[in-house]
């Protein structure tokens, strides 16, 4: 059995086993094509269809394989609700107990398109739950788009789990914050130094306050923006090495807690870099159709989940030394997963097809 066929069979088995029901008819055919895309993406580490097609086991000519994937991407019946959220739901249910830390951010993908993604933090990675692709350059998207993405994720988040939402300065709109509050979720978002705050009927902004490097200031129970939304907590943190202070708005009670969680926000950058320059080169794609990109991302994100969960399993079961140095681990879960897949194919070992279900302590760069 060829490496391409082994990889494809393992992924197809995983996709079928994690679905709530056995796929049949058109759905089964779509799962087969999706497995082709995921396997081809992992094998080629590219998002271009011709490169993916070369790593797909099939008797058909490469161009015919490309056309099959193009039909998948052009099919309006293919959406995240049917072909991604069931796997994201499985992921959420198998994460360790404790707060779910969600991060929302955007990045340019394809040609003149932006991907707005909502990810859950797992170790030092941010795993994709859902996303929206729109035309345009990277910049602030409307709050309604943020809320639309939030509502997609809310459908698979257990009500009993505590959720902390993190976002940069794009996500400090009061309409979004009100939606998060009504959802029962905590939030910590960056905001501007000139934002209007209200305390005891007096209006001011963070830039009016005298603060020096190394200092922190907590402003509880203030009104936020000219609308006086709140009361909220506004925290100002100025680390000695920074050129300017960090200003956060939150519905948490204390600055230390808000700042502690916000430091995890940057983990979503690892997701975008793994999808682009350090992984699948999504930034080099010339696809400009937002629907086509959205469906291609189903395959890319499933590939990412499988690889990271594979890497986590390698760490949890003490197999790092089989593929990496023994004195320390300086590979991310993403690169551990990729190298373990390569190791299994080289050594004729079976490929694991399940998400991790247990946690064991072992230090590793995630």
């Amino acid at each position: 059995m060829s490496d391409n066929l082994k990889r494809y069979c393992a992924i197809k088995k995983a996709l079928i086993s994690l679905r709530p029901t056995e796929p049949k008819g058109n759905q089964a055919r779509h799962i087969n094509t999706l497995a082709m895309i995921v396997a081809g993406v992992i094998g080629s580490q590219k998002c271009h269809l011709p490169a993916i097609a070369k790593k797909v086991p099939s008797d058909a000519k490469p161009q015919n394989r490309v056309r099959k994937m193009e039909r998948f991407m052009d099919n309006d019946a293919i959406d995240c609700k049917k072909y991604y959220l069931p796997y994201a739901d499985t992921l959420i249910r198998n994460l360790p107990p404790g707060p779910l830390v969600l991060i929302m951010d955007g990045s340019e993908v394809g040609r003149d398109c932006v991907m707005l993604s909502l990810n859950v933090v797992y170790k030092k990675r941010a795993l994709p739950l859902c996303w929206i692709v729109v035309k345009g350059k990277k910049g602030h998207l409307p709050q309604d788009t943020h809320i639309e993405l939030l509502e997609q994720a809310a459908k698979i988040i257990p009500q009993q789990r505590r959720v902390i939402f993190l976002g940069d300065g794009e996500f400090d709109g009061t309409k979004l914050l009100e939606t998060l509050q009504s959802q029962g979720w905590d939030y910590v978002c960056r905001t501007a130094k000139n934002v209007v705050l209200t305390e005891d009927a007096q209006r001011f902004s963070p830039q009016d306050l005298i603060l020096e490097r190394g200092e922190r200031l907590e402003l509880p129970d203030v009104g936020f923006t000219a609308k006086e939304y709140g009361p909220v907590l506004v925290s100002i943190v100025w680390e000695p090495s920074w050129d300017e202070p960090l200003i956060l708005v939150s519905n948490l009670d204390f600055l230390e807690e808000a700042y502690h969680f916000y430091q995890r926000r940057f983990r979503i950058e690892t997701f975008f870099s793994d999808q682009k320059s350090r992984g699948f080169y999504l930034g080099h794609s010339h696809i400009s159709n937002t629907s086509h990109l959205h469906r291609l991302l189903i395959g890319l994100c499933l590939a990412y989940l499988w690889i990271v969960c594979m890497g986590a399993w390698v760490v949890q079961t003490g197999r790092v030394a089989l593929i990496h140095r023994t004195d320390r681990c300086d590979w991310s879960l993403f690169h551990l997963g990729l190298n373990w897949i390569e190791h299994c194919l080289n050594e004729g070992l079976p490929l694991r097809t399940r998400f991790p279900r247990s946690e064991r302590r072992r230090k590793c760069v995630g």
Side-chain angles (χ1 to χ4, degrees):
M1 185 182 293
S2 69
D3 289 353
N4 290 340
L5 184 57
K6 290 177 184 177
R7 192 186 300 112
Y8 167 78
C9 289
I11 290 167
K12 181 179 175 181
K13 181 180 178 181
L15 293 179
I16 293 175
S17 67
L18 292 173
R19 294 192 68 82
T21 59
E22 181 77 17
K24 298 179 180 180
N26 286 336
Q27 187 180 71
R29 286 189 288 274
H30 295 156
I31 291 293
N32 289 342
T33 306
L34 183 56
M36 287 174 52
I37 294 173
V38 175
V41 165
I42 294 173
S44 66
Q45 294 182 41
K46 299 286 192 302
C47 68
H48 304 90
L49 297 188
I52 294 173
K54 292 179 181 178
K55 295 296 182 177
V56 171
S58 174
D59 294 332
K61 295 179 180 179
Q63 189 55 41
N64 292 335
R65 302 174 208 167
V66 170
R67 292 194 185 102
K68 184 174 184 178
M69 291 183 282
E70 287 175 340
R71 289 193 295 271
F72 178 91
M73 291 165 55
D74 196 42
N75 191 338
D76 291 337
I78 307 294
D79 58 26
C80 280
K81 182 178 180 181
K82 297 177 184 176
Y83 295 97
Y84 187 80
L85 286 186
Y87 306 110
D89 178 67
T90 299
L91 170 69
I92 290 292
R93 288 188 285 107
N94 284 284
L95 287 176
L100 293 177
V101 179
L102 305 184
I103 312 171
M104 187 179 288
D105 202 3
S107 182
E108 293 182 3
V109 295
R111 179 180 293 174
D112 298 328
C113 296
V114 175
M115 173 192 186
L116 181 68
S117 183
L118 185 64
N119 295 36
V120 60
V121 172
Y122 175 67
K123 298 186 181 292
K124 294 184 180 180
R125 251 40 194 177
L127 306 180
L129 295 181
C130 49
W131 59 88
I132 293 174
V133 181
V134 298
K135 294 292 289 185
K137 297 291 186 180
K138 191 174 187 301
H140 287 203
L141 297 176
Q143 287 190 71
D144 289 342
T145 304
H146 303 158
I147 293 171
E148 178 186 349
L149 188 60
L150 205 67
E151 291 172 345
Q152 289 184 34
K155 296 175 182 177
I156 61 171
I157 303 293
Q159 291 186 352
Q160 68 273 20
R161 291 294 292 267
R162 183 189 179 192
V163 176
I164 297 95
F165 174 92
L166 308 179
D168 64 12
E170 177 181 351
F171 306 99
D172 67 345
T174 56
K175 189 175 179 180
L176 175 62
L177 301 185
E178 187 174 10
T179 302
L180 290 164
Q181 185 74 35
S182 64
Q183 192 69 39
W185 294 358
D186 295 323
Y187 60 81
V188 185
C189 298
R190 188 169 186 169
T191 191
K193 62 183 179 181
N194 61 347
V195 66
V196 176
L197 305 177
T198 305
E199 184 178 38
D200 297 330
Q202 298 294 318
R203 287 193 169 185
F204 62 99
S205 64
Q207 65 185 357
D208 298 331
L209 304 174
I210 299 175
L211 202 68
E212 296 182 354
R213 282 185 173 87
E215 292 185 334
R216 301 181 179 188
L217 180 63
E218 187 175 82
L219 301 171
D221 301 324
V222 297
F224 184 66
T225 77
K227 298 179 181 179
E228 298 187 16
Y229 172 76
V232 299
L233 168 71
V234 171
S235 304
I236 307 176
V237 178
W238 197 348
E239 297 289 6
S241 60
W242 295 353
D243 293 331
E244 58 183 11
L246 171 70
I247 304 163
L248 304 173
V249 56
S250 175
N251 60 351
L252 296 174
D253 293 326
F254 303 105
L255 178 152
E256 295 300 330
E257 185 182 21
Y259 182 45
H260 166 75
F261 279 116
Y262 187 77
Q263 291 177 86
R264 303 187 193 182
R265 192 203 72 78
F266 303 97
R267 294 181 185 176
I268 197 169
E269 302 300 336
T270 63
F271 165 70
F272 290 128
S273 63
D274 288 339
Q275 289 289 333
K276 293 180 175 182
S277 59
R278 294 193 301 190
F280 305 141
Y281 295 93
L282 183 58
H284 295 174
S285 172
H286 297 296
I287 299 175
S288 59
N289 184 299
T290 56
S291 296
H292 291 181
L293 271 173
H294 188 90
R295 296 182 188 110
L296 175 61
L297 279 161
I298 296 176
L300 295 179
C301 290
L302 283 173
Y304 187 73
L305 286 186
W306 194 56
I307 291 170
V308 171
C309 289
M310 187 81 75
W313 178 79
V314 169
V315 173
Q316 292 162 12
T317 56
R319 288 174 165 84
V320 174
L322 296 175
I323 57 173
H324 193 36
R325 59 192 302 167
T326 58
D327 56 334
R328 73 170 190 268
C329 176
D330 50 17
W331 280 352
S332 69
L333 293 181
F334 180 74
H335 286 94
L336 277 172
L338 280 176
N339 281 277
W340 180 257
I341 293 169
E342 189 69 22
H343 172 74
C344 289
L345 295 175
N346 289 339
E347 300 299 325
L349 302 174
L351 286 169
R352 180 177 168 82
T353 61
R354 299 173 66 186
F355 287 102
R357 298 181 183 274
S358 63
E359 290 293 309
R360 291 175 58 187
R361 291 185 179 180
R362 181 186 176 106
K363 290 184 178 180
C364 181
V365 175

